[in-house]
Amino acid sequence: GQNIDQPTEMTATEGAIVQINCTYQTSGFNGLFWYQQHAGEAPTFLSYNVLDGLEEKGRFSSFLSRSKGYSYLLLKELQMKDSASYLCADPRAGSYQLTFGKGTKLSVIP
Amino acid sequence: NAGVTQTPKFRILKIGQSMTLQCTQDMNHNYMYWYRQDPGMGLKLIYYSVGAGITDKGEVPNGYNVSRSTTEDFPLRLELAAPSQTSVYFCASRPGQGGDYGYTFGSGTRLTVV
């Protein structure tokens, strides 16, 4: 997606912590979504941040800095089932739609 | 509660054929969307609708048409299939604009045009 940047691929070890970064265009900002997509499946909602700071949901946390146009998804205690693509999405203010990044493919290895 | 249902799950079309991808949701969501996803690429918006009788183009509308006669249904029509339309198509819905209203996605339709 335009104006949203994420790394293409990452590899991490089972049990470790991994941080997936996302940068976006700050004008017209209206929050930021993270989705998880396993291969061959539909994306599923992970988190939505509209205020600065870290929000924690179990093993997954999402961070937002509106002034820097920056977000990250933090995955702790990685499990093999966390191998998936992680999509960052921006609901641009005044728009009815989400603009998605190309996604970061995370491979968790033993 | 079925959520967002897409049919068919798989389809092979010949160049020039037409077909309709079906999408229905039972959550009374106002907003519905059609995205396509090519390998290694993000989701690209084809068309969207903010309510029955209202549709609008997204980023990649050429070669497609939509209609929204009811709140529940949002079919996507391919009139003259081309190899460039080989992709995975996702339908999605959300209650409305703003707030913590993430999309609910259907399971996808894998289309191959040969």
Side-chain angles (χ1 to χ4, degrees):
Chain A
Q2 50 194 19
N3 302 319
I4 297 179
D5 289 314
Q6 311 177 231
T8 303
E9 294 186 48
M10 299 182 71
T11 301
T13 305
E14 191 175 15
I17 299 173
V18 70
Q19 178 175 312
I20 302 174
N21 297 324
C22 171
T23 58
Y24 60 89
Q25 183 177 330
T26 56
S27 63
F29 179 73
N30 199 33
L32 201 84
F33 286 89
W34 283 96
Y35 283 81
Q36 180 190 58
Q37 185 177 25
H38 285 99
E41 297 183 10
T44 55
F45 171 79
L46 284 179
S47 68
Y48 173 66
N49 293 66
V50 66
L51 299 176
D52 290 350
L54 186 69
E55 291 195 10
E56 299 187 59
K57 290 183 181 180
R59 294 189 300 112
F60 290 14
S61 302
S62 54
F63 172 85
L64 179 68
S65 170
R66 290 173 293 174
S67 62
K68 296 181 179 179
Y70 168 68
S71 174
Y72 67 73
L73 185 67
L74 192 70
L75 290 73
K76 304 176 186 175
E77 302 170 15
L78 280 173
Q79 302 175 8
M80 300 301 291
K81 68 178 182 180
D82 297 330
S83 293
S85 288
Y86 292 86
L87 311 177
C88 175
D90 169 13
R92 197 62 51 83
S95 166
Y96 298 105
Q97 55 192 270
L98 287 180
T99 299
F100 286 85
K102 293 184 178 181
T104 299
K105 183 178 179 181
L106 174 66
S107 298
V108 180
I109 58 175
Chain B
N1 189 341
V4 179
T5 303
Q6 288 184 239
T7 56
K9 294 190 182 302
F10 302 94
R11 184 71 185 269
I12 298 175
L13 277 183
K14 293 184 178 180
I15 294 171
Q17 285 186 321
S18 62
M19 76 164 293
T20 299
L21 282 66
Q22 301 291 344
C23 175
T24 187
Q25 51 92 7
D26 61 0
M27 298 171 286
N28 201 33
H29 285 177
N30 288 324
Y31 293 9
M32 296 188 75
Y33 305 82
W34 274 106
Y35 282 88
R36 61 175 287 172
Q37 187 176 37
D38 299 322
M41 303 296 288
L43 292 155
K44 293 190 176 181
L45 183 66
I46 305 171
Y47 271 95
Y48 66 99
S49 168
V50 300
I54 306 170
T55 62
D56 210 342
K57 297 178 180 179
E59 183 183 1
V60 290
N62 291 343
Y64 308 94
N65 277 299
V66 293
S67 60
R68 185 93 182 273
S69 57
T70 66
T71 299
E72 295 77 20
D73 300 310
F74 191 43
L76 178 71
R77 179 85 177 160
L78 283 71
E79 290 294 350
L80 292 170
S84 61
Q85 293 178 305
T86 294
S87 188
V88 180
Y89 291 84
F90 288 104
C91 179
S93 72
R94 63 192 297 217
Q97 189 180 11
D100 190 6
Y101 296 142
Y103 286 13
T104 300
F105 282 87
S107 58
T109 296
R110 284 152 183 78
L111 176 66
T112 302
V113 182
V114 296

Short mmCIF file of all heavy atoms in Angstrom, two decimals, chain A residues 40-100:
data_model
loop_
_atom_site.label_atom_id
_atom_site.label_comp_id
_atom_site.label_asym_id
_atom_site.label_seq_id
_atom_site.Cartn_x
_atom_site.Cartn_y
_atom_site.Cartn_z
N GLY A 40 -2.58 -18.56 2.88
CA GLY A 40 -3.78 -19.14 2.32
C GLY A 40 -5.06 -18.82 3.07
O GLY A 40 -6.11 -19.37 2.76
N GLU A 41 -4.95 -17.92 4.05
CA GLU A 41 -6.14 -17.59 4.84
C GLU A 41 -6.43 -16.10 4.78
O GLU A 41 -5.65 -15.31 4.26
CB GLU A 41 -5.93 -18.03 6.29
CG GLU A 41 -5.77 -19.54 6.43
CD GLU A 41 -5.65 -19.96 7.89
OE1 GLU A 41 -5.87 -19.13 8.79
OE2 GLU A 41 -5.31 -21.13 8.12
N ALA A 42 -7.55 -15.71 5.34
CA ALA A 42 -7.93 -14.31 5.39
C ALA A 42 -7.21 -13.59 6.54
O ALA A 42 -6.84 -14.22 7.53
CB ALA A 42 -9.44 -14.19 5.57
N PRO A 43 -7.02 -12.29 6.40
CA PRO A 43 -6.46 -11.52 7.53
C PRO A 43 -7.41 -11.53 8.72
O PRO A 43 -8.63 -11.51 8.55
CB PRO A 43 -6.33 -10.11 6.96
CG PRO A 43 -6.35 -10.27 5.48
CD PRO A 43 -7.23 -11.46 5.22
N THR A 44 -6.83 -11.54 9.92
CA THR A 44 -7.63 -11.43 11.13
C THR A 44 -7.12 -10.27 11.97
O THR A 44 -5.91 -10.01 12.03
CB THR A 44 -7.60 -12.73 11.96
OG1 THR A 44 -6.24 -13.07 12.23
CG2 THR A 44 -8.26 -13.86 11.21
N PHE A 45 -8.03 -9.58 12.62
CA PHE A 45 -7.73 -8.37 13.39
C PHE A 45 -6.87 -8.70 14.61
O PHE A 45 -7.14 -9.64 15.35
CB PHE A 45 -9.04 -7.74 13.82
CG PHE A 45 -8.92 -6.62 14.80
CD1 PHE A 45 -8.56 -5.35 14.38
CD2 PHE A 45 -9.15 -6.83 16.15
CE1 PHE A 45 -8.45 -4.31 15.29
CE2 PHE A 45 -9.04 -5.80 17.06
CZ PHE A 45 -8.70 -4.54 16.62
N LEU A 46 -5.80 -7.91 14.81
CA LEU A 46 -4.96 -8.06 16.00
C LEU A 46 -5.12 -6.88 16.95
O LEU A 46 -5.34 -7.04 18.14
CB LEU A 46 -3.49 -8.17 15.61
CG LEU A 46 -3.00 -9.48 15.04
CD1 LEU A 46 -1.51 -9.37 14.70
CD2 LEU A 46 -3.23 -10.62 16.02
N SER A 47 -4.96 -5.65 16.40
CA SER A 47 -4.97 -4.50 17.30
C SER A 47 -5.30 -3.23 16.55
O SER A 47 -5.19 -3.16 15.32
CB SER A 47 -3.61 -4.34 17.97
OG SER A 47 -2.63 -3.98 17.02
N TYR A 48 -5.72 -2.23 17.32
CA TYR A 48 -5.99 -0.90 16.79
C TYR A 48 -5.46 0.12 17.79
O TYR A 48 -5.82 0.09 18.96
CB TYR A 48 -7.49 -0.70 16.58
CG TYR A 48 -7.89 0.69 16.19
CD1 TYR A 48 -7.51 1.23 14.97
CD2 TYR A 48 -8.67 1.47 17.04
CE1 TYR A 48 -7.89 2.52 14.60
CE2 TYR A 48 -9.05 2.75 16.68
CZ TYR A 48 -8.67 3.28 15.46
OH TYR A 48 -9.05 4.54 15.10
N ASN A 49 -4.58 1.01 17.35
CA ASN A 49 -4.02 2.07 18.19
C ASN A 49 -4.43 3.42 17.63
O ASN A 49 -4.27 3.67 16.45
CB ASN A 49 -2.49 2.01 18.21
CG ASN A 49 -1.96 0.78 18.91
OD1 ASN A 49 -2.14 -0.34 18.45
ND2 ASN A 49 -1.29 0.99 20.02
N VAL A 50 -4.95 4.28 18.51
CA VAL A 50 -5.26 5.64 18.08
C VAL A 50 -4.51 6.66 18.94
O VAL A 50 -4.31 7.79 18.52
CB VAL A 50 -6.78 5.89 18.11
CG1 VAL A 50 -7.32 5.84 19.53
CG2 VAL A 50 -7.14 7.17 17.41
N LEU A 51 -4.07 6.24 20.13
CA LEU A 51 -3.30 7.11 21.01
C LEU A 51 -1.87 6.61 21.11
O LEU A 51 -1.59 5.42 20.93
CB LEU A 51 -3.93 7.14 22.40
CG LEU A 51 -5.37 7.67 22.47
CD1 LEU A 51 -5.89 7.55 23.90
CD2 LEU A 51 -5.42 9.11 21.99
N ASP A 52 -0.96 7.52 21.42
CA ASP A 52 0.45 7.15 21.59
C ASP A 52 0.62 6.18 22.74
O ASP A 52 -0.10 6.24 23.74
CB ASP A 52 1.29 8.40 21.86
CG ASP A 52 1.42 9.31 20.65
OD1 ASP A 52 1.02 8.87 19.56
OD2 ASP A 52 1.91 10.43 20.81
N GLY A 53 1.60 5.31 22.58
CA GLY A 53 1.93 4.41 23.66
C GLY A 53 1.78 2.96 23.28
O GLY A 53 1.53 2.63 22.12
N LEU A 54 1.97 2.13 24.27
CA LEU A 54 1.97 0.68 24.09
C LEU A 54 0.67 0.08 24.62
O LEU A 54 0.26 0.38 25.73
CB LEU A 54 3.16 0.08 24.84
CG LEU A 54 3.42 -1.41 24.66
CD1 LEU A 54 3.89 -1.70 23.24
CD2 LEU A 54 4.47 -1.88 25.67
N GLU A 55 0.06 -0.77 23.81
CA GLU A 55 -1.13 -1.51 24.27
C GLU A 55 -0.80 -2.99 24.22
O GLU A 55 -0.34 -3.49 23.21
CB GLU A 55 -2.32 -1.20 23.36
CG GLU A 55 -2.84 0.21 23.49
CD GLU A 55 -4.21 0.38 22.88
OE1 GLU A 55 -4.85 -0.62 22.54
OE2 GLU A 55 -4.65 1.54 22.76
N GLU A 56 -1.07 -3.65 25.33
CA GLU A 56 -0.69 -5.06 25.44
C GLU A 56 -1.92 -5.95 25.43
O GLU A 56 -2.91 -5.66 26.11
CB GLU A 56 0.11 -5.29 26.73
CG GLU A 56 1.40 -4.48 26.78
CD GLU A 56 2.26 -4.83 27.97
OE1 GLU A 56 2.64 -6.00 28.11
OE2 GLU A 56 2.54 -3.92 28.76
N LYS A 57 -1.82 -7.04 24.65
CA LYS A 57 -2.87 -8.05 24.61
C LYS A 57 -2.21 -9.41 24.64
O LYS A 57 -1.88 -9.99 23.61
CB LYS A 57 -3.71 -7.94 23.34
CG LYS A 57 -4.61 -6.74 23.24
CD LYS A 57 -5.44 -6.80 21.96
CE LYS A 57 -6.35 -5.60 21.81
NZ LYS A 57 -7.16 -5.67 20.56
N GLY A 58 -1.99 -9.91 25.84
CA GLY A 58 -1.34 -11.21 25.98
C GLY A 58 0.07 -11.18 25.44
O GLY A 58 0.87 -10.31 25.79
N ARG A 59 0.38 -12.08 24.51
CA ARG A 59 1.74 -12.14 23.98
C ARG A 59 2.01 -11.05 22.94
O ARG A 59 3.15 -10.81 22.57
CB ARG A 59 1.99 -13.50 23.33
CG ARG A 59 1.99 -14.66 24.29
CD ARG A 59 2.47 -15.95 23.60
NE ARG A 59 1.65 -16.34 22.48
CZ ARG A 59 2.06 -16.33 21.21
NH1 ARG A 59 3.29 -15.91 20.89
NH2 ARG A 59 1.26 -16.74 20.25
N PHE A 60 0.94 -10.40 22.47
CA PHE A 60 1.09 -9.39 21.43
C PHE A 60 0.90 -8.00 22.04
O PHE A 60 -0.02 -7.77 22.83
CB PHE A 60 0.06 -9.60 20.33
CG PHE A 60 0.28 -10.83 19.47
CD1 PHE A 60 1.17 -11.82 19.85
CD2 PHE A 60 -0.40 -10.98 18.28
CE1 PHE A 60 1.37 -12.94 19.06
CE2 PHE A 60 -0.21 -12.10 17.48
CZ PHE A 60 0.67 -13.08 17.87
N SER A 61 1.76 -7.07 21.61
CA SER A 61 1.62 -5.66 22.01
C SER A 61 1.79 -4.81 20.76
O SER A 61 2.52 -5.18 19.85
CB SER A 61 2.68 -5.28 23.04
OG SER A 61 2.61 -6.09 24.17
N SER A 62 1.13 -3.66 20.77
CA SER A 62 1.29 -2.74 19.64
C SER A 62 1.59 -1.36 20.19
O SER A 62 1.00 -0.92 21.17
CB SER A 62 0.04 -2.72 18.76
OG SER A 62 -1.11 -2.45 19.52
N PHE A 63 2.53 -0.69 19.53
CA PHE A 63 3.00 0.64 19.95
C PHE A 63 2.73 1.64 18.84
O PHE A 63 2.82 1.32 17.66
CB PHE A 63 4.50 0.59 20.25
CG PHE A 63 5.10 1.94 20.49
CD1 PHE A 63 5.05 2.51 21.76
CD2 PHE A 63 5.72 2.64 19.47
CE1 PHE A 63 5.60 3.76 21.99
CE2 PHE A 63 6.27 3.89 19.69
CZ PHE A 63 6.21 4.46 20.96
N LEU A 64 2.44 2.88 19.27
CA LEU A 64 2.19 3.94 18.30
C LEU A 64 2.87 5.23 18.73
O LEU A 64 2.80 5.61 19.92
CB LEU A 64 0.69 4.19 18.16
CG LEU A 64 0.27 5.29 17.18
CD1 LEU A 64 0.59 4.89 15.75
CD2 LEU A 64 -1.21 5.61 17.33
N SER A 65 3.51 5.91 17.77
CA SER A 65 3.99 7.27 17.96
C SER A 65 3.45 8.10 16.82
O SER A 65 3.94 8.01 15.68
CB SER A 65 5.52 7.32 17.96
OG SER A 65 5.96 8.68 17.91
N ARG A 66 2.45 8.92 17.11
CA ARG A 66 1.81 9.69 16.05
C ARG A 66 2.72 10.76 15.49
O ARG A 66 2.73 11.03 14.28
CB ARG A 66 0.51 10.31 16.57
CG ARG A 66 -0.59 9.29 16.84
CD ARG A 66 -1.79 9.96 17.51
NE ARG A 66 -1.46 10.41 18.85
CZ ARG A 66 -2.29 11.12 19.62
NH1 ARG A 66 -3.47 11.47 19.15
NH2 ARG A 66 -1.92 11.48 20.83
N SER A 67 3.53 11.36 16.33
CA SER A 67 4.41 12.44 15.85
C SER A 67 5.48 11.90 14.91
O SER A 67 5.92 12.62 14.01
CB SER A 67 5.06 13.15 17.04
OG SER A 67 5.87 12.24 17.78
N LYS A 68 5.86 10.66 15.09
CA LYS A 68 6.91 10.07 14.24
C LYS A 68 6.33 9.24 13.09
O LYS A 68 7.08 8.76 12.24
CB LYS A 68 7.83 9.18 15.08
CG LYS A 68 8.61 9.96 16.14
CD LYS A 68 9.53 9.04 16.92
CE LYS A 68 10.32 9.83 17.97
NZ LYS A 68 11.20 8.95 18.78
N GLY A 69 5.02 9.06 13.05
CA GLY A 69 4.43 8.23 12.01
C GLY A 69 4.96 6.80 12.07
O GLY A 69 5.33 6.20 11.06
N TYR A 70 4.99 6.26 13.27
CA TYR A 70 5.69 4.98 13.50
C TYR A 70 4.87 4.10 14.43
O TYR A 70 4.30 4.57 15.42
CB TYR A 70 7.05 5.29 14.10
CG TYR A 70 7.81 4.12 14.66
CD1 TYR A 70 8.31 3.12 13.83
CD2 TYR A 70 8.03 4.01 16.03
CE1 TYR A 70 9.01 2.06 14.36
CE2 TYR A 70 8.74 2.95 16.57
CZ TYR A 70 9.23 1.98 15.71
OH TYR A 70 9.93 0.92 16.24
N SER A 71 4.83 2.83 14.09
CA SER A 71 4.17 1.84 14.94
C SER A 71 4.99 0.57 14.91
O SER A 71 5.77 0.34 13.98
CB SER A 71 2.76 1.55 14.41
OG SER A 71 2.15 0.49 15.13
N TYR A 72 4.85 -0.23 15.94
CA TYR A 72 5.42 -1.57 15.87
C TYR A 72 4.52 -2.57 16.56
O TYR A 72 3.74 -2.22 17.45
CB TYR A 72 6.85 -1.63 16.43
CG TYR A 72 7.02 -1.39 17.91
CD1 TYR A 72 6.64 -2.33 18.87
CD2 TYR A 72 7.62 -0.21 18.36
CE1 TYR A 72 6.82 -2.11 20.23
CE2 TYR A 72 7.81 0.03 19.72
CZ TYR A 72 7.40 -0.92 20.65
OH TYR A 72 7.59 -0.69 21.98
N LEU A 73 4.66 -3.79 16.12
CA LEU A 73 3.97 -4.94 16.72
C LEU A 73 5.03 -5.77 17.41
O LEU A 73 6.04 -6.12 16.80
CB LEU A 73 3.25 -5.75 15.65
CG LEU A 73 2.39 -6.92 16.11
CD1 LEU A 73 1.18 -6.43 16.89
CD2 LEU A 73 1.95 -7.76 14.92
N LEU A 74 4.82 -6.07 18.67
CA LEU A 74 5.78 -6.83 19.45
C LEU A 74 5.17 -8.19 19.78
O LEU A 74 4.08 -8.26 20.36
CB LEU A 74 6.11 -6.08 20.74
CG LEU A 74 7.30 -6.57 21.54
CD1 LEU A 74 8.60 -6.25 20.79
CD2 LEU A 74 7.34 -5.91 22.93
N LEU A 75 5.86 -9.24 19.40
CA LEU A 75 5.39 -10.59 19.68
C LEU A 75 6.37 -11.24 20.66
O LEU A 75 7.56 -11.36 20.36
CB LEU A 75 5.32 -11.43 18.41
CG LEU A 75 4.24 -11.09 17.38
CD1 LEU A 75 4.56 -9.80 16.63
CD2 LEU A 75 4.06 -12.24 16.40
N LYS A 76 5.86 -11.67 21.79
CA LYS A 76 6.68 -12.29 22.81
C LYS A 76 6.48 -13.81 22.83
O LYS A 76 5.46 -14.31 22.34
CB LYS A 76 6.32 -11.74 24.19
CG LYS A 76 6.41 -10.24 24.33
CD LYS A 76 5.94 -9.79 25.70
CE LYS A 76 5.89 -8.28 25.80
NZ LYS A 76 5.31 -7.83 27.11
N GLU A 77 7.46 -14.51 23.41
CA GLU A 77 7.35 -15.97 23.57
C GLU A 77 6.86 -16.63 22.28
O GLU A 77 5.87 -17.34 22.26
CB GLU A 77 6.40 -16.31 24.73
CG GLU A 77 6.82 -15.71 26.07
CD GLU A 77 5.74 -15.86 27.13
OE1 GLU A 77 4.80 -16.66 26.94
OE2 GLU A 77 5.83 -15.16 28.15
N LEU A 78 7.60 -16.34 21.22
CA LEU A 78 7.18 -16.78 19.90
C LEU A 78 6.88 -18.28 19.84
O LEU A 78 7.61 -19.10 20.42
CB LEU A 78 8.24 -16.44 18.87
CG LEU A 78 8.26 -15.00 18.36
CD1 LEU A 78 9.48 -14.78 17.47
CD2 LEU A 78 6.98 -14.66 17.62
N GLN A 79 5.81 -18.59 19.12
CA GLN A 79 5.43 -19.97 18.88
C GLN A 79 5.43 -20.22 17.37
O GLN A 79 5.33 -19.29 16.58
CB GLN A 79 4.03 -20.23 19.46
CG GLN A 79 3.94 -19.95 20.95
CD GLN A 79 2.52 -20.10 21.50
OE1 GLN A 79 1.60 -20.56 20.81
NE2 GLN A 79 2.33 -19.73 22.76
N MET A 80 5.57 -21.50 17.01
CA MET A 80 5.62 -21.83 15.58
C MET A 80 4.37 -21.32 14.86
O MET A 80 4.44 -20.90 13.71
CB MET A 80 5.77 -23.34 15.41
CG MET A 80 7.03 -23.91 16.04
SD MET A 80 8.54 -23.20 15.37
CE MET A 80 8.50 -23.89 13.72
N LYS A 81 3.24 -21.33 15.55
CA LYS A 81 1.99 -20.90 14.92
C LYS A 81 1.96 -19.39 14.62
O LYS A 81 1.03 -18.93 13.95
CB LYS A 81 0.80 -21.27 15.80
CG LYS A 81 0.73 -20.49 17.11
CD LYS A 81 -0.50 -20.87 17.91
CE LYS A 81 -0.60 -20.06 19.20
NZ LYS A 81 -1.81 -20.42 19.99
N ASP A 82 2.94 -18.66 15.16
CA ASP A 82 3.01 -17.22 14.87
C ASP A 82 3.60 -16.94 13.49
O ASP A 82 3.64 -15.78 13.05
CB ASP A 82 3.83 -16.51 15.94
CG ASP A 82 3.21 -16.60 17.33
OD1 ASP A 82 1.97 -16.67 17.42
OD2 ASP A 82 3.99 -16.60 18.32
N SER A 83 4.09 -17.99 12.83
CA SER A 83 4.59 -17.81 11.46
C SER A 83 3.42 -17.39 10.58
O SER A 83 2.45 -18.14 10.39
CB SER A 83 5.18 -19.13 10.93
OG SER A 83 6.35 -19.46 11.62
N ALA A 84 3.50 -16.17 10.05
CA ALA A 84 2.40 -15.59 9.29
C ALA A 84 2.88 -14.27 8.72
O ALA A 84 3.99 -13.82 9.02
CB ALA A 84 1.18 -15.36 10.19
N SER A 85 2.03 -13.63 7.93
CA SER A 85 2.29 -12.26 7.52
C SER A 85 1.55 -11.32 8.45
O SER A 85 0.44 -11.62 8.89
CB SER A 85 1.83 -12.03 6.08
OG SER A 85 2.68 -12.68 5.18
N TYR A 86 2.19 -10.19 8.74
CA TYR A 86 1.59 -9.20 9.63
C TYR A 86 1.43 -7.90 8.84
O TYR A 86 2.40 -7.35 8.32
CB TYR A 86 2.45 -9.02 10.88
CG TYR A 86 2.41 -10.26 11.74
CD1 TYR A 86 3.29 -11.32 11.50
CD2 TYR A 86 1.45 -10.42 12.74
CE1 TYR A 86 3.21 -12.49 12.24
CE2 TYR A 86 1.37 -11.59 13.48
CZ TYR A 86 2.25 -12.61 13.21
OH TYR A 86 2.17 -13.78 13.94
N LEU A 87 0.18 -7.47 8.74
CA LEU A 87 -0.17 -6.33 7.91
C LEU A 87 -0.47 -5.11 8.77
O LEU A 87 -1.27 -5.19 9.71
CB LEU A 87 -1.41 -6.65 7.06
CG LEU A 87 -1.43 -7.98 6.30
CD1 LEU A 87 -2.77 -8.15 5.60
CD2 LEU A 87 -0.30 -8.03 5.30
N CYS A 88 0.14 -4.02 8.41
CA CYS A 88 -0.12 -2.74 9.03
C CYS A 88 -1.14 -2.03 8.15
O CYS A 88 -1.04 -2.09 6.92
CB CYS A 88 1.22 -1.99 9.09
SG CYS A 88 1.21 -0.34 9.68
N ALA A 89 -2.15 -1.37 8.73
CA ALA A 89 -3.19 -0.73 7.93
C ALA A 89 -3.59 0.61 8.52
O ALA A 89 -3.76 0.74 9.74
CB ALA A 89 -4.41 -1.64 7.81
N ASP A 90 -3.80 1.57 7.66
CA ASP A 90 -4.05 2.95 8.04
C ASP A 90 -5.44 3.39 7.59
O ASP A 90 -5.69 3.44 6.39
CB ASP A 90 -2.95 3.82 7.39
CG ASP A 90 -3.22 5.30 7.47
OD1 ASP A 90 -4.11 5.73 8.23
OD2 ASP A 90 -2.52 6.05 6.75
N PRO A 91 -6.37 3.67 8.51
CA PRO A 91 -7.68 4.18 8.13
C PRO A 91 -7.60 5.69 7.97
O PRO A 91 -7.90 6.44 8.89
CB PRO A 91 -8.55 3.78 9.32
CG PRO A 91 -7.63 3.81 10.49
CD PRO A 91 -6.25 3.50 9.98
N ARG A 92 -7.22 6.15 6.82
CA ARG A 92 -6.97 7.57 6.58
C ARG A 92 -8.20 8.39 6.91
O ARG A 92 -9.30 8.07 6.48
CB ARG A 92 -6.55 7.76 5.13
CG ARG A 92 -5.88 9.07 4.81
CD ARG A 92 -4.57 9.23 5.59
NE ARG A 92 -3.66 8.11 5.47
CZ ARG A 92 -2.84 7.93 4.46
NH1 ARG A 92 -2.81 8.79 3.48
NH2 ARG A 92 -2.05 6.88 4.44
N ALA A 93 -8.04 9.46 7.66
CA ALA A 93 -9.16 10.31 8.09
C ALA A 93 -9.90 10.84 6.87
O ALA A 93 -9.29 11.23 5.87
CB ALA A 93 -8.63 11.47 8.93
N GLY A 94 -11.20 10.86 6.93
CA GLY A 94 -12.01 11.33 5.81
C GLY A 94 -12.24 10.27 4.76
O GLY A 94 -12.95 10.49 3.79
N SER A 95 -11.66 9.10 4.97
CA SER A 95 -11.81 8.00 4.01
C SER A 95 -12.60 6.88 4.65
O SER A 95 -12.59 6.69 5.86
CB SER A 95 -10.43 7.51 3.59
OG SER A 95 -10.51 6.28 2.92
N TYR A 96 -13.28 6.11 3.84
CA TYR A 96 -14.04 4.98 4.35
C TYR A 96 -13.22 3.70 4.34
O TYR A 96 -13.70 2.66 4.72
CB TYR A 96 -15.29 4.76 3.50
CG TYR A 96 -16.24 5.94 3.53
CD1 TYR A 96 -16.35 6.79 2.44
CD2 TYR A 96 -17.03 6.17 4.63
CE1 TYR A 96 -17.22 7.85 2.45
CE2 TYR A 96 -17.91 7.24 4.65
CZ TYR A 96 -18.01 8.08 3.56
OH TYR A 96 -18.89 9.12 3.58
N GLN A 97 -11.99 3.78 3.87
CA GLN A 97 -11.26 2.56 3.60
C GLN A 97 -9.96 2.48 4.38
O GLN A 97 -9.42 3.47 4.85
CB GLN A 97 -10.94 2.51 2.10
CG GLN A 97 -10.21 3.76 1.63
CD GLN A 97 -10.14 3.86 0.12
OE1 GLN A 97 -9.21 3.38 -0.49
NE2 GLN A 97 -11.14 4.49 -0.49
N LEU A 98 -9.47 1.25 4.51
CA LEU A 98 -8.16 1.01 5.08
C LEU A 98 -7.15 0.89 3.95
O LEU A 98 -7.43 0.27 2.93
CB LEU A 98 -8.13 -0.30 5.88
CG LEU A 98 -8.82 -0.36 7.24
CD1 LEU A 98 -8.66 -1.74 7.84
CD2 LEU A 98 -8.23 0.67 8.17
N THR A 99 -5.98 1.51 4.14
CA THR A 99 -4.87 1.31 3.23
C THR A 99 -3.88 0.37 3.90
O THR A 99 -3.40 0.66 4.99
CB THR A 99 -4.19 2.64 2.90
OG1 THR A 99 -5.15 3.50 2.27
CG2 THR A 99 -3.02 2.43 1.95
N PHE A 100 -3.58 -0.74 3.25
CA PHE A 100 -2.73 -1.76 3.84
C PHE A 100 -1.29 -1.65 3.34
O PHE A 100 -1.04 -1.32 2.17
CB PHE A 100 -3.24 -3.15 3.46
CG PHE A 100 -4.48 -3.57 4.20
CD1 PHE A 100 -5.73 -3.21 3.75
CD2 PHE A 100 -4.38 -4.34 5.36
CE1 PHE A 100 -6.88 -3.60 4.43
CE2 PHE A 100 -5.51 -4.73 6.04
CZ PHE A 100 -6.77 -4.36 5.58
#
